[in-house]
């Protein structure tokens, strides 16, 4: 497929997610034939020296220090939002109303009300050929995409159980300093929104079932943390001196809930940043009447599959190395057995988004899909605050 007109991207934010998205925009057209040619046009951030350094490092042509100016530019076609959740709604709505396509990181917003506004504006914009997508990148991991395909093919029969975990440990040390991820005003929630949103989307994506109700427990183990310190990755070390300033943690450290799905299955969900030794264990297991699948992102190129139709004498979980050309997305990469990494899911996200825009089709997950996830997160908050009472979604 020959590349046609450019798709000029303006991105807001340049930290962890900004780097991942930049890599994806650069890489996608190098390995996939795309109907539009992504261009890293403008990078926006408030700190001018820092954003200029980031632009040079990550391959962006120009910079802005105000996202409003970015949106007003005629030489930008798509706005990529990689900022904390409290800014998503304002930026996305303004961009869509200005006729720009939007890619927005998850969770969609910090509240259901904001997410509803975003979904409404996105639906209106789609009528004019302007599209919005939420960045649930894990669904583009080839092994998870294969799990969905097996479910669609009926290999699992009737789905009965769904269990999902997202386990990290970067907050286990009580002296990790305060960051925006620990501030409810900026992040909306803690492990619930940061990690739980991913496993909710993954479970619903793989099974094609929606959560209809849940009972939740949210817990904050460390109530205060150092107000200053050195960040390393997501964590780091704060000033632990006896007289050092500390500030309140206003989000959850761990979130757990049981759930029912509209297809009749039941689920168990757990998200925590206190599982010492677990670095990025995003796990999903689905059990059906005819088989099971099991995935762990810490072994991301593998899908475990149990075929319940096999003879019991030789039956067992089969370890599928998801690196064959027939597997989702894999044919554009390396020879079989040469695994993919975390960054590839973002590249696949760009590929799907660009192809959908070129075809004038709604990319998935839409803002409406992300709104449904937001309602699940909100139900978990409401349930936990009401003594874990059952909460409909």
């Amino acid at each position: 497929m020959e590349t046609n007109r450019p798709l000029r991207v303006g991105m807001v934010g340049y930290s962890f997610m900004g780097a991942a998205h930049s890599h994806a925009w650069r890489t996608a057209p190098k390995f996939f034939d795309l109907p539009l040619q992504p261009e890293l046009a403008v990078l926006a951030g408030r700190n001018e020296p820092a954003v200029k350094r980031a632009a040079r490092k990550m391959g962006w042509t120009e910079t802005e220090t105000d996202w409003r100016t970015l949106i007003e530019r005629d030489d930008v076609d798509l706005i990529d939002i990689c900022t904390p959740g409290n800014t998503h709604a304002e930026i996305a709505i303004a961009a869509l109303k200005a006729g720009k396509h939007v890619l927005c990181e998850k969770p969609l917003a910090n509240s259901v009300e904001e997410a509803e506004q975003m979904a409404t504006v996105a639906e209106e914009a789609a009528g004019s050929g302007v599209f919005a997508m939420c960045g649930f990148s894990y669904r583009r991991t080839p092994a998870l995409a294969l799990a969905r395909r097996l479910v669609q093919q009926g290999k699992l029969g009737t789905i009965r159980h769904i269990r999902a975990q997202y386990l990290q440990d970067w907050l286990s040390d009580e002296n990790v300093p305060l960051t925006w991820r620990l501030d409810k005003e900026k992040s909306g929630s803690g492990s619930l929104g940061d990690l739980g949103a991913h496993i909710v989307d993954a479970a619903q994506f793989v099974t094609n079932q929606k959560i209809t109700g849940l009972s939740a427990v949210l817990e904050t183990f460390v109530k205060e943390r150092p107000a200053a310190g050195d960040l390393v990755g997501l964590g780091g070390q704060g000033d632990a001196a006896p007289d050092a300033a500390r500030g309140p943690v206003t989000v959850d450290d761990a979130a757990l809930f049981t759930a029912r799905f509209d297809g009749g299955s039941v689920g168990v969900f757990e998200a925590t940043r206190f599982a010492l030794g677990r670095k990025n264990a995003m796990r999903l297991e689905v059990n059906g009447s005819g088989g099971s699948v099991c995935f762990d992102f810490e072994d991301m190129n593998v899908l475990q599959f149990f075929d319940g139709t096999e003879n019991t004498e030789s039956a067992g979980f089969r370890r599928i190395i998801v690196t064959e050309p027939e597997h989702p997305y894999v044919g554009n990469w390396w020879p079989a057995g040469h695994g993919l990494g975390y960054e590839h899911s973002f590249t696949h996200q760009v590929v799907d988004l660009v192809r959908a825009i070129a075809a004038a089709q709604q990319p998935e997950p839409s803002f409406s899909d992300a709104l449904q996830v937001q309602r699940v997160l909100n139900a978990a908050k409401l349930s936990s605050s009401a003594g874990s009472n059952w909460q409909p979604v």
Side-chain angles (χ1 to χ4, degrees):
M1 185 186 300
E2 277 191 354
T3 56
N4 297 317
R5 60 184 173 85
L7 181 68
R8 299 163 299 184
V9 180
M11 190 169 76
V12 190
Y14 51 86
S15 189
F16 173 28
M17 278 298 102
H21 283 225
S22 297
H23 181 277
W25 288 114
R26 291 194 311 269
T27 306
K30 308 299 183 184
F31 286 84
F32 292 80
D33 294 324
L34 299 180
L36 304 174
Q37 185 67 30
E39 293 183 0
L40 284 71
V42 188
L43 180 64
R46 291 171 296 179
N47 184 318
E48 185 172 12
V51 74
K52 286 186 177 297
R53 286 195 301 271
R56 288 193 297 269
K57 183 176 182 179
M58 297 191 293
W60 294 87
T61 303
E62 298 183 42
T63 62
E64 294 283 0
T65 55
D66 189 331
W67 62 262
R68 296 170 184 83
T69 305
L70 172 66
I71 288 173
E72 291 169 358
R73 293 181 60 144
D74 293 330
D75 58 350
V76 172
D77 304 307
L78 181 147
I79 301 298
D80 187 351
I81 303 170
C82 297
T83 55
N86 63 316
T87 64
H88 288 183
E90 187 178 11
I91 299 173
I93 289 172
L96 289 168
K97 288 185 174 180
K100 315 291 188 185
H101 305 293
V102 171
L103 171 61
C104 182
E105 258 303 321
K106 50 55 62 186
L108 188 61
N110 279 3
S111 70
V112 169
E113 292 73 23
E114 286 181 338
E116 287 175 339
Q117 294 171 16
M118 295 170 73
T120 297
V121 173
E123 186 174 349
E124 293 169 352
S128 302
V130 177
F131 297 104
M133 186 175 84
C134 189
F136 284 104
S137 57
Y138 281 113
R139 60 164 63 191
R140 266 85 186 190
T141 304
L144 268 183
L146 177 60
R148 173 182 168 89
R149 181 186 292 177
L150 294 176
V151 171
Q152 291 175 324
Q153 292 172 348
K155 297 292 181 65
L156 271 64
T158 301
I159 304 302
R160 292 170 173 164
H161 289 285
I162 300 162
R163 59 187 62 84
Q165 295 177 314
Y166 202 150
L167 313 178
Q168 294 181 342
D169 72 352
W170 60 275
L171 283 178
S172 296
D173 184 348
E174 64 182 17
N175 289 316
V176 168
L178 285 169
T179 67
W180 70 266
R181 293 178 185 272
L182 302 174
D183 182 350
K184 185 177 181 180
E185 293 300 315
K186 295 179 180 178
S187 64
S189 63
S191 60
L192 176 65
D194 187 21
L195 308 181
H198 274 304
I199 54 177
V200 168
D201 180 72
Q204 297 186 147
F205 168 71
V206 169
T207 65
N208 198 31
Q209 295 187 24
K210 302 298 183 186
I211 295 173
T212 58
L214 57 82
S215 171
V217 172
L218 306 184
E219 182 60 52
T220 303
F221 300 118
V222 177
K223 313 297 184 185
E224 289 186 334
R225 290 185 176 275
D230 297 322
L231 292 176
V232 180
L234 292 173
Q237 183 66 34
D239 186 350
D243 59 346
R246 300 180 77 89
V249 174
T250 54
V251 299
D252 59 280
D253 287 329
L256 304 90
F257 61 88
T258 56
R260 289 191 180 276
F261 289 75
D262 60 6
S265 57
V266 294
V268 180
F269 292 77
E270 179 185 10
T272 180
R273 299 182 289 202
F274 274 71
L276 199 58
R278 301 299 181 190
K279 301 305 177 183
N280 203 44
M282 186 275 206
R283 300 166 167 176
L284 180 69
E285 180 167 332
V286 181
N287 308 127
S289 61
S292 298
V293 290
C294 185
F295 170 80
D296 186 340
F297 191 80
E298 291 189 340
D299 195 10
M300 65 168 289
N301 290 291
V302 171
L303 182 68
Q304 300 279 353
F305 171 56
F306 181 88
D307 186 348
T309 66
E310 290 185 354
N311 187 298
T312 55
E313 184 179 18
S314 58
F317 269 94
R318 180 185 308 155
R319 189 170 181 265
I320 304 172
I321 310 298
V322 189
T323 59
E324 298 292 337
E326 295 81 10
H327 292 143
Y329 304 106
V330 177
N332 286 74
W333 294 104
W334 321 121
H338 295 70
L340 302 188
Y342 175 71
E343 73 278 11
H344 290 84
S345 62
F346 293 94
T347 302
H348 303 155
Q349 179 172 271
V350 164
V351 169
D352 290 345
L353 175 59
V354 171
R355 288 176 174 171
I357 289 173
Q361 296 176 349
Q362 174 60 54
E364 294 181 348
S366 67
F367 276 15
S368 293
D369 296 328
L371 168 60
Q372 196 276 336
V373 174
Q374 198 79 43
R375 287 176 171 149
V376 173
L377 303 182
N378 187 61
K381 292 181 187 177
L382 294 174
S383 173
S384 180
S385 64
S388 303
N389 284 355
W390 188 260
Q391 192 71 225
V393 176

